[in-house]
Amino acid sequence: MVDELTDVLISKHHPMDKLLRQDRLPHIWCSGCGLGTVLTCFVSALEKLDLDMDQVVVVSGIGCTGRAAGYLNLDGFHTTHGRAIPFATGLKLGNPELKVVVISGDGDLMAIGGNHFIHAARRNMDLTVICVNNFNYGMTSGQLAPTTPTNARTSTSPYGNAEHPFNVPYLAAATGATYVARWTVLHVRRLERSIIEAMNKRGFSVVEVISPCPTYYGRWNKMGSALEQMKYYHDKSTIRHWSDPAQADIGLEGQIIVGRFVDIDKPTFCDLLQGADQ
Amino acid sequence: MKLWRKPLDQDRVVVPRGEIHLIVERCKGCQLCATYCPRDVLEMSSLFNTRGYHPPQVRNARRCLVCGLCTMLCPEFAIYVEEVGHDQ
């Protein structure tokens, strides 16, 4: 039946397949979820970076985003909830030659892993953190997360959220990250470039990606289909490079400030540790 | 194409032409490729794959300029474009 599709060449393999575990595809993420696009951007960035793939390690925590490490044909580890950054820290200290990338969600990195996040940023561990923010805990049916905007509805805040959310770029910048950027999933080229810059950066680099969750967050807040939600975030976003991340709060409505916020140089934990040895 | 002034690099610029490849069984019918194709090359078909989703199909193959946005946007690694020759 699919042979009737007009002008389409039916194929079996994708050019990015060499970096993917094909036996695990198609992945479990919902139709229209932004996570697949984040993974595409990451794979595309890896192809453009001239790296030895044996030296790249992907660590992820628990949650929808936590499955990212399992779909990549790279060394990876699926850690316990919130402990992606401590595991990555251990990897980096054990073998400083490795490029360690943490791909995890907002619930994993900001809630149960919040303390690890701020202390890894304070120490300036040489890690790249890709934090995919979909404003709720998607895998466990859409509970309130620390990034859920005030007044937003989730399955555990059915009358609206009474809390102030975390502003991820502000938190990262305030605790000492050397590279901080934020994009939505529709900014594919910019996101890819930011991932390349973050991976080339020596120090704690954070890239926050705003992603739709059509199945839970979008449904609770009446944001329409995945496509409409993605378009909503893209249309609401304003690119303002090098602006103060304190102004980059995300509300239920109103603009989302995206761009590169911080790009500074300072000695990493490994540098200081070697200095202390001598 | 009608030009009101001949560009200086007209003899050097070539317009690439692309071919769309689809891995039908990976498609989850999210419509991202068909919605965001800047040249309106793709549209959603009314056919089903084995998972019950509608995969995209090509509406106007000649318009494709191999920008690769469909490859980048597809969350399922189901669509990609390859350059095949070019128009002068």
Side-chain angles (χ1 to χ4, degrees):
Chain A
M1 191 164 172
V2 290
D3 298 338
E4 294 163 26
L5 291 169
T6 49
D7 286 338
V8 170
L9 295 169
I10 306 298
S11 190
K12 285 258 181 276
H13 298 287
H14 193 276
M16 291 180 184
D17 272 0
K18 59 182 182 298
L19 284 172
L20 298 171
R21 294 188 191 185
Q22 294 166 53
D23 53 325
R24 311 285 295 168
L25 293 174
H27 51 61
I28 63 151
W29 297 321
C30 309
S31 170
C33 177
L35 287 166
T37 309
V38 176
L39 200 62
T40 316
C41 291
F42 179 66
V43 172
S44 178
L46 277 183
E47 283 175 346
K48 289 191 179 155
L49 280 163
D50 191 22
L51 292 174
D52 177 9
M53 289 303 153
D54 290 339
Q55 298 291 311
V56 181
V57 186
V58 179
V59 184
S60 60
I62 298 297
C64 288
T65 323
R67 301 193 64 97
Y71 294 124
L72 289 163
N73 193 14
L74 297 167
D75 289 334
F77 200 80
H78 192 185
T79 63
T80 45
H81 201 358
R83 313 299 174 229
I85 288 179
F87 188 87
T89 304
L91 270 178
K92 187 71 192 176
L93 291 179
N95 186 355
E97 301 300 308
L98 295 177
K99 277 264 178 215
V100 186
V101 184
V102 175
I103 304 182
S104 208
D106 55 312
D108 188 71
L109 285 174
M110 295 298 137
I112 190 166
N115 231 324
H116 301 303
F117 181 86
I118 59 174
H119 287 287
R122 177 180 62 81
R123 285 174 181 155
N124 198 18
M125 283 304 307
D126 189 6
L127 306 174
T128 304
V129 178
I130 300 174
C131 173
V132 185
N133 183 357
N134 57 8
F135 305 112
N136 72 141
Y137 287 89
M139 182 165 272
T140 50
S141 74
Q143 287 86 355
L144 185 87
T147 46
T148 308
T150 315
N151 295 328
R153 288 164 198 271
T154 63
S155 60
T156 47
S157 63
Y159 306 109
N161 178 18
E163 301 171 6
H164 293 288
F166 261 145
N167 174 349
V168 180
Y170 188 30
L171 178 71
T175 47
T178 53
Y179 182 91
V180 181
R182 175 199 270 164
W183 297 107
T184 77
V185 281
L186 273 186
H187 293 103
V188 274
R189 299 280 179 205
R190 291 182 167 104
L191 172 60
E192 181 197 44
R193 200 170 63 209
S194 262
I195 293 174
I196 292 174
E197 285 171 358
M199 286 186 70
N200 282 331
K201 188 82 194 168
R202 267 180 69 78
F204 194 77
S205 10
V206 182
V207 180
E208 187 197 8
V209 192
I210 309 290
S211 160
C213 178
T215 311
Y216 293 112
Y217 186 75
R219 193 155 50 93
W220 271 101
N221 292 288
K222 300 193 168 42
M223 297 178 93
S225 69
L227 211 60
E228 285 166 21
Q229 202 180 345
M230 224 177 244
K231 195 164 164 23
Y232 173 82
Y233 291 143
H234 188 252
D235 292 348
K236 288 281 179 190
S237 60
T238 315
I239 298 173
R240 210 175 287 166
H241 291 306
W242 320 122
S243 65
D244 183 6
Q247 310 298 321
D249 270 323
I250 300 180
L252 188 55
E253 283 164 2
Q255 67 173 359
I256 299 172
I257 296 175
V258 297
R260 274 166 287 168
F261 296 104
V262 177
D263 191 354
I264 54 169
D265 288 304
K266 64 179 185 184
T268 66
F269 181 67
C270 294
D271 295 343
L272 294 174
L273 202 62
Q274 277 163 3
D277 277 351
Q278 285 158 10
Chain B
M1 192 161 57
K2 202 174 158 189
L3 300 165
W4 61 274
R5 195 179 66 184
K6 190 183 167 210
L8 293 172
D9 57 354
Q10 199 186 23
D11 51 333
R12 275 172 284 143
V13 172
V14 290
V15 181
R17 207 186 300 157
E19 248 174 14
I20 311 284
H21 295 253
L22 192 65
I23 306 162
V24 180
E25 296 316 321
R26 284 187 192 171
C27 181
K28 284 185 191 153
C30 67
Q31 306 176 19
L32 266 177
C33 53
T35 310
Y36 285 101
C37 177
R39 302 275 294 171
D40 287 331
V41 174
L42 298 158
E43 62 178 1
M44 297 313 286
S45 69
S46 54
L47 304 171
F48 293 99
N49 65 9
T50 49
R51 287 163 199 273
Y53 293 107
H54 297 295
Q57 65 182 6
V58 175
R59 176 160 52 189
N60 192 347
R62 284 195 66 83
R63 282 179 62 83
C64 181
L65 296 177
V66 207
C67 70
L69 194 67
C70 52
T71 318
M72 287 291 287
L73 274 178
C74 179
E76 312 293 330
F77 301 93
I79 193 167
Y80 65 97
V81 58
E82 266 182 2
E83 190 173 330
V84 281
H86 47 76
D87 298 331
Q88 283 295 336

